[in-house]
Amino acid sequence: MAAKRKRGALAAGKAKRARSGPSAGEAVPEGGPRERSVPPQEYSIPPPVSQGRWKNKERVLIFSSRGINFRTRHLMQDLRTLMPHSKADTKMDRKDQLFVINEVCEMKNCNKCIFFEAKKKQDLYMWLSNTPQGPSAKFLVQNIHTLAELKMTGNCLRGSRPLLSFDPIFDQEPHYALLKELFIQIFSTPQYHPKSQPFVDHVFTFTITDQRIWFRNYQIIEEDASLVEIGPRFVLNLIKIFQGSFGGPTLYENPHYQSPNMHRRLVRLSVAAKFREKQQVKEVQKIKKKGTKVLVEEDPTEVVFETPAEEKPVEIQLVKPESKPIVKDKKKLRKIQRKKQKKLFRTEG
């Protein structure tokens, strides 16, 4: 009975729907009741921008190991906001092996991975991998500046697709060409992605300077087609490129790479060498002060500039010289001198 009632109810509902509007073949009688005029809708839903299908289903898993600092956490969050085709996962324990990430990517249905590995709470390494076949590259991340830290004037639409700009050196070296293809597949947002916007208003630039890859993000301004930096920014120092995902045979090893431990050791050695040099200078000065001065007994050049003087005859004065009167007044002195002169003239005459 319940089934019959349902069938009847469905049939009645269909009949009601059919009666509500005249069919295309039937004609509406002139004297019949007028149909209600439907007011035009004020808000209409626009059709989709493009009727394309999401074919390139690239999904990137972005997560990190335990022990990262706040700057790395903010950088990871910035990359997730800039890449709508990315997924997140919980932090991985440092005791686990790296090949476990391939299983995590398979569980998350991701075929690309960006993994941040922290060591000694001060060194940050980035893994870019094509899971599960490979290849994968390991970088040392330096000079990190996040979106909130930079406070740039640029601003782009969230979820918009970026343009990728590469340095011409990427096409000259084979290892750079491999990294270029890896960057294109990871950082480019797939077309017609459900979370992406159909706009292109910012550029990811990859520049090679000083044997390092410099990442920058710029906004395209429509007025004069100039670029304004948005952020984040960081520098990637290539360490190795592996054939497999998170391991395998080494395809390329950077000869210019210097580990952070070695760099810190060289800095300590240079500081220690400067300190030792100062101590040695102080010891030499102390030895000089304590040492006795050696006197030269005879100097052969001492008599070079001596000239013999003429010997003068020795005069012996038998008469005691007259004592000169001490007169303070000059006038009295002159008077005394005149009197002496008059006496001399008298005696001579």
Side-chain angles (χ1 to χ4, degrees):
M1 294 296 291
K4 290 182 179 179
R5 285 175 187 173
K6 284 182 180 178
R7 289 173 188 169
L10 288 171
K14 287 181 180 179
K16 286 180 181 178
R17 287 176 188 172
R19 288 172 190 169
S20 60
S23 62
E26 295 177 6
V28 180
E30 295 181 358
R34 296 182 179 179
E35 292 184 355
R36 296 179 181 178
S37 60
V38 180
Q41 295 180 356
E42 296 181 359
Y43 301 100
S44 60
I45 301 173
V49 177
S50 60
Q51 301 291 338
R53 294 180 60 188
W54 177 31
K55 297 180 181 178
N56 181 19
K57 297 189 177 182
E58 295 282 353
R59 298 180 183 89
V60 183
L61 180 64
I62 303 177
F63 71 117
S64 68
S65 65
R66 297 191 181 276
I68 61 173
N69 54 8
F70 70 98
R71 184 172 281 121
T72 307
R73 188 171 64 253
H74 285 266
L75 174 64
M76 190 167 56
Q77 190 62 34
D78 293 343
L79 290 178
R80 286 172 183 169
T81 55
L82 290 173
M83 301 164 63
H85 60 294
S86 64
K87 288 187 177 183
D89 195 18
T90 56
K91 295 179 182 178
M92 194 181 76
D93 195 358
R94 284 180 290 183
K95 295 180 181 178
D96 296 339
Q97 299 295 329
L98 290 177
F99 61 82
V100 180
I101 302 175
N102 296 326
E103 299 178 3
V104 177
C105 292
E106 187 177 357
M107 291 168 61
K108 288 285 183 178
N109 196 16
C110 296
N111 51 3
K112 299 290 185 297
C113 180
I114 299 178
F115 177 68
F116 292 94
E117 185 181 7
K119 291 185 178 179
K120 294 187 176 182
K121 296 184 179 180
Q122 54 184 345
D123 302 330
L124 179 65
Y125 298 91
M126 178 191 286
W127 285 84
L128 300 179
S129 176
N130 178 24
T131 58
Q133 292 86 10
S136 59
K138 185 180 181 181
F139 301 91
L140 174 68
V141 188
Q142 300 171 329
N143 301 334
I144 300 173
H145 296 280
T146 59
L147 278 168
E149 185 182 358
L150 286 174
K151 296 181 182 178
M152 296 292 185
T153 56
N155 188 14
C156 65
L157 181 67
R158 181 167 182 170
S160 60
R161 301 180 64 225
L163 294 174
L164 300 184
S165 174
F166 291 93
D167 196 278
I169 306 177
F170 277 97
D171 299 327
Q172 298 174 5
E173 300 291 337
H175 60 281
Y176 283 138
L178 178 62
L179 291 178
K180 179 181 177 181
E181 184 63 29
L182 197 61
F183 288 146
I184 289 173
Q185 295 184 15
I186 289 177
F187 287 96
S188 62
T189 304
Q191 194 175 10
Y192 308 125
H193 191 276
K195 293 184 180 179
S196 66
Q197 300 291 337
F199 302 103
V200 177
D201 59 352
H202 63 287
V203 186
F204 289 162
T205 61
F206 298 89
T207 311
I208 298 174
T209 306
D210 194 20
Q211 306 296 331
R212 290 170 174 82
I213 300 172
W214 301 65
F215 175 84
R216 295 290 184 272
N217 182 21
Y218 297 96
Q219 180 197 2
I220 304 171
I221 300 177
E222 297 179 359
E223 297 174 357
D224 52 353
S226 61
L227 299 178
V228 179
E229 188 171 358
I230 305 172
R233 57 162 66 171
F234 52 87
V235 180
L236 299 177
N237 191 1
L238 178 63
I239 302 174
K240 285 183 180 181
I241 300 176
F242 300 96
Q243 184 176 356
S245 177
F246 296 98
T250 303
L251 298 179
Y252 176 79
E253 185 175 359
N254 188 7
H256 306 283
Y257 171 71
Q258 187 182 56
S259 65
N261 294 331
M262 181 60 67
H263 178 71
R264 287 190 287 268
R265 181 173 177 274
L266 293 176
V267 170
R268 288 195 300 270
L269 289 175
S270 63
V271 173
K274 289 181 181 179
F275 181 74
R276 284 197 213 96
E277 187 177 355
K278 289 182 180 179
Q279 292 295 327
Q280 289 175 0
V281 170
K282 288 181 180 179
E283 290 176 0
V284 170
Q285 290 176 353
K286 287 181 181 179
I287 293 170
K288 285 183 179 179
K289 289 180 181 179
K290 290 180 180 179
T292 57
K293 295 181 180 179
V294 180
L295 298 176
V296 182
E297 296 179 356
E298 292 183 1
D299 189 6
T301 62
E302 189 176 359
V303 200
V304 173
F305 297 100
E306 289 185 359
T307 53
E310 296 180 358
E311 295 183 359
K312 294 181 181 181
V314 180
E315 294 181 357
I316 300 172
Q317 191 174 0
L318 300 175
V319 182
K320 184 181 179 181
E322 295 181 357
S323 61
K324 295 181 180 179
I326 300 170
V327 182
K328 293 182 180 180
D329 194 359
K330 291 183 178 180
K331 291 181 180 180
K332 290 181 180 180
L333 182 62
R334 287 173 186 172
K335 286 180 182 180
I336 294 169
Q337 288 177 355
R338 285 172 188 170
K339 286 180 182 180
K340 287 182 180 180
Q341 287 176 359
K342 285 179 182 179
K343 287 181 182 179
L344 290 171
F345 283 127
R346 287 175 186 175
T347 52
E348 288 177 358

